[in-house]
Every structure is written in structure tokens, then in C-alpha cells.
């Protein structure tokens, strides 16, 4: 199979350059037609004239033998010679025309082949651009090289261990000793080997080398796309997993700096007064800085412009010491400017050619993260405020009133101690019992409110410790049964533990139970079950009530679970204990 047999048929092939073709055709056509016209118009009269002259000359010869010899010489030699040279003269023009036609046909075939190869190269470039990943790029490149060059086999390998093999229109299952291999290096790493049935021509070698360059571009583009996706994934993970503002900004700016090879980074946020202040920074030495210092002039310029900007020289040095160039990315949302991210480098023009649209998109993601973190901080502040108000209300309505009642009892005892000792003793016992109950109540509240380190111990260990401590604190027999694999996000783990905490607090507060059983099962959904043998209650009668320790009522617990795709229910009746069941979908 020839190198051109594998190329798709041209339909229709391109027409050769008109000035060249018309010039050659016109030149050969004029010469040949002039010769034919000259022979047709001039030769017959010339022959008649020559014959007449020759006959007149022959007629003057002295003898008939001389006339005969003269006629033989003229008609036997001169006539055929004239005819031969005339026809030969015409034949030369015909042969020249045929050579020109052959050259045109060869040129036509060459241009048709080149056109087919060009179309195949364009298809290969389009396929390389559409390939979703690096492995697909290598496979597409191997098939395209076979299609473009007409090779029987092609093998392509790139750094990273990726390789692909393609076969052309041949019956051979693989390369053989009869084929002619051609190996070229891929710029940037790797190699491509093609096998041909005939030795590759210099144009074919040049074509293969050009293909190697295009393949290198496709491989590099795929690598860049992969790096972009990995960077966006890391940024997204930072947004999802982190609610601490400074740690969040540190992660986001680190991902962006690593993507560009920058050495310094900073994040500035607008405060509640509309002042742009430093939230987080890391200089060239790796030293981190936090604090509310005002933003430099460059950061303010980026915030007001609302578009990515670059700066060099003194303006760059005003952001980071020893910086030769800086890149600023605004953080904006529908409500207006949020802040500015700045990357710095000690090299001049370090950010020329940077993928600014990608970085701007990452800055947009960071904006969402900042909004979420601020909303989370605000919700925490509200929760703390609500919890303080609830504790104050419960101390006022519960512990404070009980202590006041105990104080009044003791005052009465002091007055009646001499007049009615027996009654005073009963009152002292009643006040002592009340004080002990309030001490237990305070201890229950302290136990429920103490911080629990889910991040340090994980959900299962935290549940085990809490259930065991709860039994000891409240003199209740507890048991824990854990089955299956449990994989929840940190937020879901916190919700499950909070449900457990609230359920056990209700047991301590209201159930008067002797035994509590806790089970945690992992499957398609994580299921929590808390069962006690206490006095029970009517769920309809207490729905919406806020408990004394955990701060979550039954409705609030149900809303938290349903917001995350879970379910929650309570099974209870007076005198029959209580069962709390909660479920959340697994990751």
C-alpha cells in the first residue's frame, strides 16, 4: 500500500494554479497549432512551386536518361525527405504537448494527495482538541497519524506511561520485518513510530515531523486541562471542607499560587464599614501574616476596577517586599465587591500569558466560599446568642427559682428551729433534696454543653465516649451497638451526634429511665436509634418544645435532618419508654 492510498478521496481535488497551467498550455498549444497551420497553408503551394521549377529545370537537360535520373532523385529522395521533416516538426510539438499534459496530471495527483492530507491533518487537530483527557489524546493521535500518512501501523508513547497503537487498512496484525519503520521524537517528551510498506519519502518524513509537533500541542493542551480541573477540584474541596475564614483563604490562595508558580499571596476583604483590609497573607519567606491592616493602593485599584490587573515596579513592591510583579483578582458577587486576591512573584513579567479567565473563575469560587464562611460565622453568633438567652431563661425559670425556694425554706427553718424542731427538720430535708436535684440539673447542663472534638476523634469514637460518660454521669445503664461502614461528611457527622446528644439529654431530663440502648448502623443510609425504658410521653403534646440542655426541640431536630435528605421520628407513649430514630444518606 502506498502512502497515498490511505488518504481519503478528494472530492473534488483542488484545481492547479491557473496562471501556471494556462501559461504552459497556451505556450504548447500555440506552437503546435502554428506548426500545423504552417504546414497546411504553406507546404502545398510550396510543393507546387518547387515541382514546377524542378520540372522546368529537368526539361532543359540534354538527354532523356538525364531527365529520368533527375526525376528519380527528386521524387524518390527530396519528396520523402521534405515530408519526413515536416511530419517530424509537427511530432515535436505533439510530444511537447504530451509532456506538458503528463506534468499537469502529476501535479494534479500531487495536489490531490496534499489536499487529502491537509484535510486529514485538520480532522486530527479537531479530534485532538475534542479529546476529553490525555489517554484519549494519545489514542486519537495514533489513529490520526495512520490516516494522514498512510502508514500500516503507528505506535505513540508520551511521558507518564501512556501509549497507544493504531493499524491502518492492512491485513497485517502488527509490524513485520518487511515494513520500513520511521521514528520521530515528540517535542516535550515521547516518541512516535510509523511503519510503511515502502521507504518513506522526504515529504512523508517532513509530514510526520509536522504531525509530531501538532501532537505535542494536543498533549500539552490536555495536560493543561487536567491541571485546570485538578486546581478547580482542590478549590472546590477547600470551599466545602473549610469554614474558618483564614484557613479557607490560605487554601484557596495556595492552590492559585501553586498553579502559577507564584511565591507570595494575600487576601483582602471588605469589612462591615466598607474598608478593604488584609485578612491573610504569606510573603516570599513563607511567613504568614493576619490582621486588619488597610489594603495597599494596588488592591484598592483592582477592587474599584472589578477586573484582573497586573502591576510591576514600585506598585508591586508596595504589595509584597521584593516583588517585581503582582496579579490582582477581584472578588465580587451580586451584592457588590467582596475583596481582592493578590499573587506576587520576584520575577518581572511573571504573569504574562497567565490563564486569567481560569484564575478569575477561581476567584469567583473563593467569593462564594467567603460568603458561606461569613454566613456560617453569623449563624454561629446567632446560635451562641440564642443559647445564652436559653441558658439565662432556664436558670431564671428553673435553677434560680428552685434555689430561691430553698433559701426561703431555710429562712423559715431558722425562724421555727426552736419553736417547731420536727417541722424544721422536715423543711431542711426538703430543701436539701431540692438543692441536690438542682446540682444534678446543673451537672447535666454542663455535661450537655461541654465541647466535643469530632474532628479529633471521629464520629464513632466520640459516640462511644459520650454514651459511656452519659451513663456514669446520670447513673443509667447504657449500651452501644455499631454495625456496618459509616462514611459521612463532617457536617453530617455533627448533625448525627447532635441528635444523639439531644436525645440522651431528654432521657436524663424527663425519662427517669434505668437503661438506654444506642445503636448506629451504616449502609445506604446511616441509622441512629436511641431507646430508653423510661416513663414515655405523648409526642403530639410536646412537639416544638425546646429542651433544657441541648437547645434543640423536636421540630428543630427534624428540620436539620430533612434539610440534609434524612428522616426523623419519635415513637413513645406514656409508661412505655421512648424510641428516637434518625437516618441520613451515606456519601
Amino acid at each position: 500500500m502506498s502512502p497515498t492510498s490511505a488518504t481519503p478521496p478528494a472530492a473534488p481535488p483542488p484545481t492547479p494554479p491557473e496562471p501556471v497551467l494556462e501559461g504552459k498550455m497556451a505556450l504548447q498549444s500555440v506552437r503546435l497549432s502554428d506548426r500545423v497551420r504552417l504546414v497546411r497553408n504553406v507546404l502545398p503551394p510550396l510543393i507546387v512551386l518547387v515541382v514546377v521549377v524542378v520540372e522546368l529545370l529537368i526539361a532543359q537537360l540534354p538527354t532523356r536518361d538525364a531527365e529520368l535520373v533527375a526525376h528519380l532523385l527528386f521524387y524518390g529522395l527530396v519528396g520523402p525527405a521534405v515530408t519526413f521533416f515536416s511530419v517530424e516538426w509537427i511530432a515535436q510539438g505533439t510530444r511537447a504537448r504530451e509532456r506538458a499534459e503528463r506534468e499537469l496530471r502529476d501535479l494534479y495527483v500531487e495536489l490531490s494527495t496534499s489536499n487529502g492530507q491537509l484535510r486529514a491533518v485538520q480532522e486530527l487537530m479537531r479530534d485532538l482538541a475534542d479529546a476529553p483527557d490525555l489517554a484519549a489524546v494519545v489514542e486519537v493521535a495514533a489513529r490520526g497519524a495512520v490516516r494522514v500518512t498512510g502508514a500500516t501501523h503507528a505506535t505513540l508513547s508520551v511521558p507518564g506511561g501512556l501509549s497507544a497503537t493504531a493499524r491502518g487498512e492492512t491485513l497485517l496484525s502488527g509490524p513485520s520485518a518487511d515494513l520500513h519503520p520511521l521514528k520521530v521524537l515528540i517535542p516535550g517528551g515521547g516518541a512516535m513510530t510509523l511503519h510503511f510498506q515502502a521507504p518513506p519519502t522526504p515529504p512523508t518524513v517532513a509530514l510526520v515531523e509536522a504531525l509530531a509537533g501538532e501532537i505535542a500541542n494536543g498533549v500539552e493542551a490536555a495536560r493543561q486541562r487536567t491541571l485546570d480541573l485538578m486546581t478547580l477540584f482542590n478549590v472546590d474541596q477547600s470551599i466545602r471542607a473549610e469554614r474558618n475564614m483564614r484557613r479557607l483563604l490560605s487554601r484557596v490562595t495556595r492552590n492559585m499560587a501553586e498553579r502559577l508558580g507564584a511565591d507570595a499571596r494575600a487576601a483582602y476583604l471588605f469589612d462591615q464599614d466598607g474598608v478593604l483590609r488584609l485578612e491573610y497573607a504569606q510573603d516570599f519567606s513563607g511567613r504568614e501574616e493576619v490582621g486588619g491592616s488597610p489594603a495597599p493602593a494596588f488592591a484598592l485599584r483592582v477592587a474599584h476596577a472589578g477586573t484582573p490587573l497586573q502591576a510591576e515596579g514600585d506598585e508591586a513592591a508596595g504589595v509584597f517586599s521584593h516583588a517585581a510583579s503582582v496579579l490582582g483578582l477581584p472578588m465580587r458577587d451580586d451584592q457588590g465587591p467582596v475583596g481582592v486576591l493578590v499573587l506576587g512573584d520576584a520575577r518581572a513579567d511573571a504573569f504574562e500569558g497567565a490563564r486569567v479567565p481560569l484564575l478569575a473563575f477561581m476567584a469567583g469560587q473563593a467569593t462564594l466560599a467567603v460568603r458561606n464562611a461569613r454566613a456560617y460565622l453569623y449563624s454561629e453568633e446567632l446560635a451562641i446568642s440564642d443559647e445564652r438567652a436559653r441558658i439565662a431563661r432556664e436558670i431564671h425559670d428553673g435553677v434560680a427559682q428552685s434555689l430561691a425556694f430553698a433559701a426561703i425554706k431555710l429562712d423559715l427553718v431558722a425562724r421555727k428551729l426552736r419553736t417547731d424542731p420536727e417541722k424544721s427538720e422536715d423543711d431542711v430535708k426538703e430543701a436539701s433534696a431540692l438543692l441536690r436535684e438542682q446540682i444534678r440539673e446543673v451537672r447535666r447542663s454542663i455535661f450537655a454543653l461541654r465541647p466535643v472534638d469530632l474532628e479529633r476523634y471521629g464520629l464513632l469514637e466520640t459516640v462511644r465516649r459520650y454514651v459511656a460518660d452519659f451513663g456514669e454521669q446520670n447513673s443509667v445503664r447504657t449500651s452501644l451497638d455499631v454495625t456496618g461502614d459509616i462514611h459521612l461528611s463532617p457536617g453530617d457527622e455533627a448533625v448525627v451526634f447532635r441528635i444523639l446528644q439531644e436525645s440522651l439529654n431528654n432521657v436524663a431530663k424527663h425519662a427517669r429511665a434505668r437503661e438506654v440502648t444506642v445503636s448506629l448502623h451504616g449502609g445506604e443510609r446511616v441509622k441512629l436509634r436511641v431507646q430508653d425504658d423510661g416513663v414515655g410521653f405523648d409526642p403530639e403534646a410536646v412537639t416544638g418544645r425546646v429542651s433544657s440542655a441541648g437547645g434543640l426541640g423536636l421540630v428543630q431536630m427534624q428540620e436539620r435532618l430533612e434539610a440534609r435528605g434524612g428522616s426523623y421520628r419519635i415513637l413513645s407513649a406514656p409508661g412505655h419508654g421512648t424510641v428516637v430514630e434518625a437516618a441520613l444518606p451515606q456519601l
Side-chain angles (χ1 to χ4, degrees):
M1 183 175 63
S2 65
T4 58
S5 61
T7 57
T15 305
E18 294 184 358
V20 177
L21 297 182
E22 290 181 357
K24 289 186 176 181
M25 292 295 293
L27 180 61
Q28 300 296 338
S29 176
V30 168
R31 290 177 180 176
L32 184 59
S33 62
D34 287 345
R35 292 181 183 187
V36 173
R37 189 180 301 108
L38 182 62
V39 171
R40 183 191 62 193
N41 297 333
V42 176
L43 189 59
L46 182 60
I47 291 175
V48 173
L49 179 60
V50 171
V51 169
V52 171
V53 172
V54 169
E55 287 295 335
L56 291 176
L57 293 175
I58 291 175
Q60 295 177 4
L61 294 176
T63 62
R64 294 186 60 84
D65 292 336
E67 291 180 2
L68 179 60
V69 171
H71 280 97
L72 290 176
L73 289 175
F74 177 75
Y75 291 107
L77 296 177
V78 177
V82 171
T83 303
F84 172 78
F85 286 112
S86 300
V87 173
E88 177 64 22
W89 187 51
I90 296 174
Q92 289 179 357
T94 303
R95 286 194 294 271
R97 182 187 182 92
E98 291 175 349
R99 283 197 302 271
E101 291 177 350
R102 284 196 302 271
E103 292 176 359
L104 290 176
R105 282 196 298 271
D106 293 341
L107 179 61
Y108 180 82
V109 172
E110 182 180 351
L111 290 176
S112 299
T113 302
S114 299
N115 180 265
Q117 290 177 340
L118 179 60
R119 285 208 311 272
V121 170
Q122 291 173 342
E123 292 176 1
L124 173 59
M125 294 173 62
R126 184 181 64 249
D127 294 342
L128 289 176
D130 294 339
D133 51 43
L134 188 56
V137 167
V138 175
E139 293 179 0
V140 167
R143 292 195 301 267
V146 169
R147 186 171 65 250
V148 172
T149 62
T152 59
H153 297 81
T155 301
L156 175 64
S157 61
V158 298
L162 292 176
S163 62
T165 301
R167 185 177 62 172
E169 297 178 359
T170 176
L171 298 178
L172 299 175
S173 59
S176 67
D178 297 333
L179 299 178
H180 301 271
L182 173 61
K183 183 177 181 179
V184 295
L185 298 179
I186 303 296
M192 179 172 61
T193 303
L194 301 174
H195 298 267
F196 298 91
Q197 289 185 337
T201 61
T204 301
V205 174
L207 176 61
V208 173
E209 292 176 348
L211 286 179
E214 294 298 331
I215 292 172
N217 293 335
V219 170
E220 181 61 24
R223 284 200 182 101
Q224 291 294 331
R225 290 197 299 271
T226 302
L227 289 175
D228 292 346
L229 291 174
M230 291 177 63
T231 303
L232 291 176
F233 174 78
N234 291 334
V235 172
D236 184 68
Q237 290 296 103
S238 300
I239 292 173
R240 292 174 180 269
E242 188 57 72
R243 290 174 177 173
N244 181 278
M245 183 70 73
R246 289 189 174 93
R247 288 201 301 264
L248 177 103
L249 293 173
S250 174
R251 291 184 180 182
V252 171
T253 55
R254 182 177 66 248
N255 289 330
M256 299 174 72
E258 290 175 351
R259 183 70 179 84
L260 293 179
D263 299 320
R265 48 199 168 96
Y268 302 89
L269 298 180
F270 284 98
D271 60 14
Q272 62 272 19
D273 299 322
V275 178
L276 187 62
R277 297 183 181 275
L278 176 66
E279 186 71 23
Y280 171 82
Q282 185 182 69
D283 58 18
F284 289 99
S285 64
R287 182 176 61 88
E288 294 186 346
E289 179 184 355
V290 294
S293 58
F298 173 71
L300 291 172
R301 188 159 68 91
V302 174
H304 293 154
T307 58
L309 297 177
Q310 298 184 35
E312 299 177 352
D314 294 340
E315 191 174 17
V319 182
F320 301 106
S321 298
H322 311 297
S325 59
V326 291
L327 172 65
L329 301 163
M331 302 168 62
R332 301 179 64 89
D333 61 9
D334 295 339
Q335 300 177 10
V338 175
V340 175
L341 301 179
V342 182
L343 305 175
D345 202 289
R347 302 166 296 169
D349 300 329
F351 301 107
E352 292 295 332
R355 300 169 69 85
V356 174
L358 172 66
L359 297 173
F361 179 77
M362 294 167 63
Q365 296 294 98
T367 304
L368 296 178
V370 168
R371 287 294 189 193
N372 291 339
R374 282 180 168 174
Y376 176 74
L377 293 175
Y378 180 68
S379 65
E380 279 192 334
E381 292 176 357
L382 289 180
I384 292 173
S385 178
D386 291 344
E387 191 73 2
R388 287 174 176 172
R390 181 191 62 78
I391 293 173
R393 183 176 61 252
E394 290 189 351
I395 290 176
H396 178 271
D397 296 341
V399 176
Q401 291 186 10
S402 297
L403 293 177
F405 178 74
I408 294 173
K409 277 283 187 181
L410 292 176
D411 288 341
L412 293 175
V413 168
R415 295 176 183 177
K416 298 186 298 183
L417 185 60
R418 293 180 181 179
T419 58
D420 193 354
E422 293 182 1
K423 177 62 175 174
S424 298
E425 183 179 358
D426 292 339
D427 289 341
V428 169
K429 290 180 181 179
E430 184 179 353
S432 298
L434 181 60
L435 288 173
R436 283 193 293 272
E437 175 61 28
Q438 295 309 309
I439 290 172
R440 285 194 295 270
E441 179 66 23
V442 171
R443 285 177 176 174
R444 281 196 295 265
S445 298
I446 293 173
F447 177 75
L449 293 173
R450 70 179 183 174
V452 179
D453 198 347
L454 273 173
E455 293 185 2
R456 180 179 179 185
Y457 297 112
L459 177 63
L460 299 183
E461 179 63 17
T462 302
V463 167
R464 186 189 67 78
R465 292 180 178 220
Y466 192 85
V467 170
D469 291 346
F470 174 83
E472 293 179 3
Q473 290 285 337
N474 295 277
S475 301
V476 176
R477 293 193 304 273
T478 59
S479 62
L480 174 64
D481 181 27
V482 179
T483 58
D485 294 329
I486 298 175
H487 302 286
L488 293 173
S489 66
D492 288 347
E493 287 185 349
V495 169
V496 170
F497 181 77
R498 194 63 169 148
I499 298 299
L500 169 66
Q501 191 179 32
E502 179 66 20
S503 300
L504 292 179
N505 290 338
N506 286 335
V507 171
K509 180 72 176 177
H510 307 291
R512 299 199 295 274
R514 297 185 301 274
E515 183 175 359
V516 179
T517 301
V518 178
S519 64
L520 195 61
H521 174 70
E524 183 177 349
R525 296 168 68 87
V526 174
K527 297 179 181 179
L528 171 68
R529 191 171 190 270
V530 181
Q531 182 175 4
D532 66 70
D533 60 353
V535 296
F537 65 97
D538 182 4
E540 295 295 330
V542 299
T543 297
R545 184 182 66 192
V546 176
S547 71
S548 63
L552 284 175
L554 304 180
V555 173
Q556 288 88 341
M557 287 194 288
Q558 182 175 359
E559 289 175 350
R560 278 199 173 189
L561 282 167
E562 290 179 351
R564 294 175 177 266
S567 60
Y568 177 82
R569 69 171 181 167
I570 295 177
L571 305 175
S572 184
H576 293 83
T578 302
V579 176
V580 176
E581 293 181 345
L584 269 179
Q586 287 260 41
L587 290 177

